[in-house]
Amino acid sequence: MYAILDIESTGGKYNEEGIMEIAIHRFDGHQVVDKFICLINPEREIQPFVSKLTGINNKMLRSAPKFHEVAKRIVEITEGTILVAHNAQFDYRILRTEFRRLGYDYQRKTLCTVDLSQKLIPDAESHSLGKLARSLGIPMSDRHRANGDAIATVKLFKLLLNKDSDKGIIKEVIREAAHGELSPNQLDMVVSLPSETGVYYMHDKEGDIIFLGKTTNIKKRVNQHFTNVGGLARKLQKETKRVSYEPTGSELIALLKEYQELRKTNPRHNGNKKRKLFSHVVSFNQNGSGHITLGIENGTSQATQKIRFNGVASAKSFLDRIQSEFDLCPSSLDKKAGGGDTEETIHNCNEKASSAFNTYSIHSKDVVLVDRGRETGERSFILIKNGQLQGFGYVELNHQMNNIHILESIMTTMPSDENTTFIIESYLRKNHRIKTIVLTPSP
């Protein structure tokens, strides 16, 4: 017996969401034998994007029953069943969270139609409910409402049952009641982790690093690895025996460390590590008339002055941005223009182009980038010398940061290449919180 369900939640922080609508169809493998469909007062605000997606608003739920008023009915209709949902781990987690708030340990085995469809219909363009239903000719109505999605899931599940004639795949995919919750060992690992910015490392039984990443919340990110669905998540859940971490305080330092560590350790589950992180550049070259002209080139450009981007769209967006910000001359954006301009005009245009380049590039600069530290009273720094990354370190708030030699003596060195320049420049374009100090060499 199966209980095919769909839940619409309020959205919000992880494990702080509430159920605002639920639809459950009790299915015996051939037909629906019972159903429960209900709006629920979640006793918390609905996130605006959720209201826009579902059409459910706070006013609609004021007179709806609260979860404790329908909990008994949910227990009864799902008794002795396997819970089936599209992305079952999400629905099951939300349901268990609501029951946990009532002091009740709700447990059922679960079956995810995402996993099932990936095994039985591997060539589908997408395994999202909407696209999968469309490709299979399953009619859908009331998309992103609990009953509409639950009915579509019932029809999809029937089709998948027919495809899995010997039920071998279903047996393989069914998860035990505790799946989606952390095992005792995983719980111990997560509890010991900080909710801080840094780099985390997942180790196998031999101690080898099998996966690493950067995050602004180490505890939350590792918890997600242990509770997510999908091929990578399952491998990490099965193979991870220990998690280590290095807090950085600064997200930019975490990005740089992640890049360096991936190159050094080459973990088997991090996928393909691209040699070049950027695909295009905006070049700043002088043309025959003396104008500095800006143009989009591929990542192999040999231009001396260039700013790197991952994709043409990002490069075009940047050009539009600086054209407005610096009032660039038309001749600075057209290699064929500007032939008849006076020296004064060329000079003024080039000053604007150079100003744009100097604002967004670290080329040839001696600077220190100051960001938050790992704890109160500390600041992090990244040292850049002649446009090249030198390393990073940490100092007390009142420490003088305008002397290259002092910083060099306390920093941890990092190799510099075109990817580290891309990481730094692209981060600085999006984050204005980091303080930049121009350095002067000591006499």
Side-chain angles (χ1 to χ4, degrees), residues 182 184-195 219 222-223:
L182 300 181
N185 183 43
Q186 291 168 343
L187 185 60
D188 287 343
M189 284 189 270
V190 170
V191 165
S192 66
L193 298 173
S195 300
K219 182 191 290 285
V222 173
N223 186 74

Side-chain angles (χ1 to χ4, degrees), residues 231-245:
L232 173 61
R234 287 210 179 116
K235 289 174 185 174
L236 295 180
Q237 289 157 18
K238 181 180 179 181
E239 298 176 30
T240 302
K241 304 304 177 187
R242 183 172 68 88
V243 179
S244 62
Y245 63 90

